[in-house]
Amino acid sequence: MNRLSKQNLHNIRCVFEEKTGTDLNPNHREHPKSRAKYLILAAALCALLLASCTQTLFTPLSGDELALSGTYLGDGVVRVEVVNRSDKELKFQNQVKLMSWTDGEVEALPGGAVTLDNTRFPAHSGGAMTVDLSGAYDIAALESDLPGRPAESWYYLLLTNHDFLFGHDWMCSFHFVESAEVTEPTSELQQATVPTQETQPELGTNMPQNLDEIEDDLKPYFEDTYLDEAPAFEQAHFAYQQKVRELLMRTEGTLVHPVEPYITIEPSRDQVFDETFPKDIQYQLAGLNYHSLDAFHRIVGAEFSGETSDHSLQIKAMLPGYPGQTDGGQYLPIVYLFVYERASLAAEDAYAFIFGRIIPFSDMEKDKVFEDDRYVIYDMTDLFYTDLDGYIDAFVSSMRGKVSLYFDEQIRRRVHSLYDYFRDRQILPGLIEDHQAEMETVGYSG
């Protein structure tokens, strides 16, 4: 029997390839390295395609704007009025996080689901979307009184159009009590937008607002006071925070948030601020605490949402509720300090956000009043007001009718004395240093 020649094998291979469509030539096979290159190229193309799709979605990263306002209708249903001020369509996903102002995200029931209705809003349109929380949360418990806070407080929705990714989530506050009257959706949400200058009451004719360095889009927020409603209910706060988030998304560098270590700043026991006040309790004329709002309930930092709020360490002057009061009163913040972890300032292009301003830490060197191996403290009072008397007058005018408050020229001199003492760069650093040394002595690490 004759052997198969090379020509016979070639003919057989050709017939096989023709019948099966299989290429038997090894030179035509893909090299493993080439295959890996193709896979990498395909993955890159997919990523680029996904990124391009994401960029077409509604997002403040592209300058898109909206306004939200929530109303509780009862039975776990929240109506969200939406105004889309963008050239793009906005479509919310059927995903919602219920957030507690004080405790963070509220845990949903096992297997529970939130239902959204009417989630699509064309460009330059408005309308109402409903969010039914009843399938995911214990509504009866949420509506009931909780220890230490009323049932109607401390909740907001976190909405998204793209899996809660950066630049694709929005906050909407609401009261967890049924609304007595439900109005028709409006084309513009006046209650959800930052008030305009034309609608603002005067804060005080002698009080310079010092708005020059505040971002233009944020200035209107600082032209009003927010003392008439509980801070968690104030729609202007949510609208302002959304604008701040959008601004920070467009800002290069690293935002550093202030921290809240235990610090006590007490005046010398022989210091006299008011000669009409008992000498042995002069120190009680000054108060100290961390707070996320200023004297007029305006947000001091970038965050105001319960556990993640930014706080300033505020030194306050006690204003009596009646003549001669020595056991408390209303406290007016007169010095605004901000405390940062020293290590965090080494981040690339680190900056702070204080009272509507983006500030590189290099620009805050002149305001530094204390530094040790853990913390750096800055006195940023001048960002809040520049005229003490105008500031006092505006506060007294705003608070009268809301609390019992007594004020005369003797009290004014008291406030000036406290202000001069605690803003003295020769005195304040020493008071902080004395406290830090005391903490180290007793083994407190902060």
Side-chain angles (χ1 to χ4, degrees), residues 203-204 206 296 388-398 407 412:
L203 285 181
N206 298 323
F296 303 97
L388 178 58
D389 284 315
Y391 178 72
I392 294 170
D393 293 340
F395 181 79
V396 172
S397 175
S398 298
F407 191 82
R412 185 185 299 275

Side-chain angles (χ1 to χ4, degrees), residues 18-171:
E18 180 182 354
K19 298 295 184 182
T20 65
T22 303
D23 188 350
L24 298 177
N25 190 335
N27 294 327
H28 296 170
R29 296 174 186 170
E30 188 176 31
H31 193 277
K33 291 184 178 180
S34 298
R35 184 181 305 155
K37 291 180 181 179
Y38 288 131
L39 290 174
I40 294 173
L41 178 59
L45 289 173
C46 289
L48 289 173
L49 179 61
L50 179 60
S52 65
C53 292
T54 301
Q55 288 300 316
T56 63
L57 291 175
F58 184 106
T59 172
L61 295 175
S62 300
D64 301 317
E65 294 186 11
L66 81 159
L68 302 172
S69 178
T71 302
Y72 186 60
L73 305 182
D75 299 324
V77 178
V78 181
R79 187 189 70 182
V80 179
E81 292 188 23
V82 181
V83 173
N84 179 359
R85 300 193 178 101
S86 168
D87 294 329
K88 297 177 186 174
E89 178 184 72
L90 170 61
K91 187 179 186 304
F92 292 101
Q93 288 180 318
N94 197 54
Q95 299 185 63
V96 173
K97 294 180 181 180
L98 177 61
M99 308 296 293
S100 165
W101 192 264
T102 55
D103 303 322
E105 185 173 358
V106 179
E107 185 176 355
L109 300 173
V114 177
T115 303
L116 281 74
D117 185 53
N118 190 31
T119 58
R120 189 184 298 272
F121 299 90
H124 300 289
S125 71
M129 172 176 66
T130 59
V131 180
D132 189 347
L133 303 169
S134 61
Y137 299 94
D138 185 344
I139 301 302
L142 292 171
E143 291 179 339
S144 64
D145 289 336
L146 299 176
R149 63 178 189 260
E152 67 269 25
S153 60
W154 319 128
Y155 293 96
Y156 62 95
L157 301 175
L158 195 62
L159 305 166
T160 184
N161 68 337
H162 193 46
D163 302 322
F164 302 101
L165 293 180
F166 183 72
H168 293 277
D169 58 350
W170 297 271
M171 298 182 297

Side-chain angles (χ1 to χ4, degrees), residues 314-336:
Q314 300 176 9
I315 301 175
K316 303 182 178 184
M318 191 272 280
L319 309 183
Y322 53 86
Q325 183 181 14
T326 60
D327 58 352
Q330 183 67 34
Y331 282 87
L332 167 66
I334 55 173
V335 179
Y336 293 86

Side-chain angles (χ1 to χ4, degrees), residues 378-393:
Y378 301 90
D379 178 357
M380 307 305 295
T381 306
D382 291 337
L383 299 185
F384 291 80
Y385 66 93
T386 54
D387 177 1
L388 178 58
D389 284 315
Y391 178 72
I392 294 170
D393 293 340

